[in-house]
């Protein structure tokens, strides 16, 4: 079991990892590495998190030779989940450009020309192209909630980096709500952003009055 245990992991998880490896349950193995990486990221264990995410991706990569698995909705969604966590990790350590590259939803030029029914597949394809997975099927859309999460993350990172103006940011948030109208975080994040814009304008007006 020692060979499966990164710093900070727990014995029950190590045991499940060892069992999944011995039984050849690659999907379960990848999912366990993903959960370990997520916990490590939240605990600030950067190297452990990155290593765990890499192992999760490698586990899913081993499924690529089985076309039935590599094209399944389940595997496709798991791969996107890992990459979104990896993007969060990159952003948290100051590598925002790398995070945006992983999500791959920064450039949405021409999206207004697409029909509403075509948007989920178009955005899913872009999201999947940012994934470190050689043979994943991008001919079908991933779970819309994952696309929304990717849009929200990339928009937040672009706002923080000064890479997007207010109007474009609003369009991106509206797009995320259009994709998943019941996604509470999309509404909350958009509302929070609008509050920050309003506060900034109020502060700017107050500063001008002081100068005058």
């Amino acid at each position: 079991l020692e060979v499966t245990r990164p710093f900070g992991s727990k014995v029950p998880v190590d045991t499940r990892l060892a069992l999944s490896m011995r039984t050849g349950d690659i999907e379960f193995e990848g999912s366990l590495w993903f959960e370990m990486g997520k916990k490590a990221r939240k605990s600030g264990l950067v190297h452990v998190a990155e290593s765990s995410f890499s192992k999760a991706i490698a586990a899913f990569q081993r499924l690529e030779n089985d076309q039935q698995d590599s094209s399944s909705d389940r595997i496709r969604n798991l791969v996107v989940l890992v990459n979104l966590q990896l993007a969060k990790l990159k952003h948290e350590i100051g590598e925002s450009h790398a995070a945006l590259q992983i999500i791959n939803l920064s450039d949405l030029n021409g999206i207004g020309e697409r029909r509403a029914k075509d948007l989920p597949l178009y955005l899913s394809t872009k999201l999947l192209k940012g994934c470190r997975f050689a043979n994943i099927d991008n001919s079908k859309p991933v779970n819309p909630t994952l696309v929304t999460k990717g849009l929200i993350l990339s928009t937040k990172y672009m706002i923080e980096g000064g890479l997007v103006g207010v109007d474009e940011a609003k369009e991106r948030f509206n797009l995320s709500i259009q994709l998943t109208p019941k996604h509470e975080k999309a509404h909350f994040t958009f509302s929070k952003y609008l509050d920050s814009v309003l506060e900034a304008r109020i502060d700017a007006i107050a500063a001008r009055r002081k100068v005058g």
Side-chain angles (χ1 to χ4, degrees):
L1 296 181
E2 292 297 327
V3 297
T4 68
R5 182 184 301 162
F7 175 75
S9 69
K10 299 184 182 299
V11 173
V13 176
D14 292 341
T15 303
R16 284 184 290 167
L17 267 172
L19 289 173
S20 67
M21 291 176 181
R22 291 190 65 179
T23 59
D25 191 340
I26 302 174
E27 181 182 338
F28 186 50
E29 176 192 339
S31 298
L32 285 174
W33 282 121
F34 167 68
E35 290 298 330
M36 290 172 66
K38 190 163 63 171
K39 290 179 181 178
R41 181 187 69 78
K42 291 180 178 180
S43 299
L45 302 172
V46 175
H47 296 299
V48 175
E50 193 158 21
S51 175
S52 297
F53 291 142
S54 294
K55 288 174 181 176
I57 291 170
F60 295 132
Q61 182 80 57
R62 296 205 302 275
L63 293 173
E64 72 173 353
N65 292 328
D66 185 337
Q67 187 61 34
Q68 184 178 356
D69 280 337
S70 67
S71 62
S72 72
D73 293 341
R74 184 177 64 259
I75 296 300
R76 206 162 47 246
N77 289 332
L78 285 170
V79 170
V80 171
L81 273 173
V82 175
N83 276 272
L84 290 179
Q85 284 292 322
L86 185 59
K88 287 182 179 182
L89 178 67
K90 292 295 184 182
H91 177 70
E92 289 166 358
I93 62 176
E95 297 181 15
S96 296
H97 180 67
L100 288 171
Q101 284 185 318
I102 291 170
I103 301 172
N104 196 39
L105 291 177
S106 301
D107 183 8
L108 298 181
N109 289 334
I111 197 169
E113 302 171 4
R114 297 182 179 273
R115 295 176 297 178
K117 68 176 184 177
D118 296 330
L119 289 177
L121 179 57
Y122 171 72
L123 294 171
S124 292
T125 300
K126 288 182 67 66
L127 190 61
L128 288 167
K129 283 182 178 178
C131 291
R132 299 178 182 181
F133 199 82
N135 195 36
I136 191 166
D137 179 11
N138 59 19
S139 66
K140 299 177 183 177
V142 298
N143 189 310
T145 300
L146 296 178
V147 180
T148 292
K149 287 182 177 180
L151 266 174
I152 292 173
L153 278 180
S154 58
T155 302
K156 287 173 63 177
Y157 298 165
M158 290 171 75
I159 291 170
E160 291 174 13
L163 302 175
V164 65
V166 174
D167 289 340
E168 187 178 348
K170 287 181 179 179
E171 289 177 2
R172 293 174 66 89
F173 281 123
N174 279 323
L175 179 58
S176 69
I177 292 172
Q178 178 185 338
L179 287 169
T180 51
K182 295 182 180 180
H183 195 282
E184 292 183 4
K185 190 167 184 179
H187 290 276
F188 174 77
T189 308
F190 188 22
S191 177
K192 190 175 179 181
Y193 172 67
L194 292 177
D195 287 344
S196 70
V197 171
L198 180 60
E199 289 176 6
R201 289 177 177 172
I202 292 173
D203 291 343
I205 293 171
R208 284 199 298 270
R209 286 178 177 175
K210 286 183 180 180
V211 172

